[in-house]
Amino acid sequence: MTGRVGIYPGTFDPITLGHADIIRRGSKLVDRLIIGVTTNPSKNPMFETEERFAMVEREVKAMGLSNVDVVGFNALLVKFAQKQGASVIIRGLRAVADFEYEYQMAGMNQQLDSEIETVFLMADVSLQPIASKLVKEIALYGGDISRFVSADVEGEVLERVKAIGLKGDY
């Protein structure tokens, strides 16, 4: 495939409306956008990699974006981007704290391959507070997550919480 290829990497545990916003907007910037679903054990995932991959695929399909593919990976991001023929890494930003970390990562990635550019997209203002970690925490303590994820993802998270068990006092 010719044209500009971009990578939007993440754990997507679970995929949120904020992620969906970045996917929609990022897909307009490149000819082909690859959503790279990766592993990150330090994030204490609620869902296995295969479950997250299927969740992201379903959500992307529901968006109707013909130039977006979902690919799983467990490698250095720059190596994955090179293998996919990507020249752009797309990263979403919610707050200044995100920027500090992402700025450092972009600098390291540039050192590894100066031909791959990192593009930062600010999350929509209404979606800026949403973080997968917080969605999981809210759900585990019996809170309403319907404003942060699609109905399908909400169902999956609530099923997982039911299997794990709610936390806290009621």
Side-chain angles (χ1 to χ4, degrees):
M1 174 178 222
T2 59
R4 185 176 304 273
V5 177
I7 301 281
Y8 177 37
T11 53
F12 305 102
D13 183 50
I15 184 170
T16 68
L17 297 179
H19 292 130
D21 176 55
I22 299 298
I23 291 168
R24 270 190 222 89
R25 292 170 47 219
S27 72
K28 296 175 187 176
L29 301 177
V30 292
D31 298 304
R32 179 175 176 233
L33 179 62
I34 298 167
I35 310 306
V37 180
T38 189
T39 58
N40 189 342
S42 69
K43 288 192 174 185
N44 193 23
M46 177 178 274
F47 296 95
E48 297 297 323
T49 305
E50 299 78 23
E51 294 172 308
R52 291 183 283 110
F53 183 88
M55 193 183 297
V56 173
E57 266 194 326
R58 185 193 62 237
E59 294 296 305
V60 167
K61 184 177 181 184
M63 289 184 229
L65 302 171
S66 61
N67 68 327
V68 178
D69 295 310
V70 181
V71 176
F73 77 103
N74 184 15
L76 191 63
L77 176 57
V78 169
K79 296 285 186 188
F80 176 67
Q82 291 167 339
K83 184 176 179 183
Q84 298 298 319
S87 59
V88 176
I89 296 170
I90 295 174
R91 299 298 295 158
L93 296 176
R94 294 178 308 241
V96 172
D98 284 350
F99 180 76
E100 291 174 14
Y101 172 77
E102 294 294 345
Y103 180 78
Q104 183 179 21
M105 293 303 298
M108 293 300 288
N109 288 337
Q110 186 179 45
Q111 292 293 316
L112 294 171
D113 188 332
S114 63
E115 297 299 311
I116 300 175
E117 292 294 337
T118 299
V119 174
F120 298 115
L121 294 179
M122 293 299 298
D124 181 274
V125 173
S126 67
L127 304 172
Q128 283 181 359
I130 301 173
S132 293
K133 178 181 178 181
L134 297 177
V135 169
K136 291 184 288 190
E137 188 172 324
I138 291 166
L140 283 166
Y141 283 90
D144 178 14
I145 61 169
S146 63
R147 292 173 293 185
F148 313 125
V149 296
S150 73
D152 287 338
V153 171
E154 178 186 20
E156 287 184 71
V157 171
L158 295 179
E159 278 298 313
R160 186 55 48 93
V161 168
K162 187 176 175 183
I164 296 170
L166 285 172
K167 302 202 181 299
D169 300 326
Y170 293 86

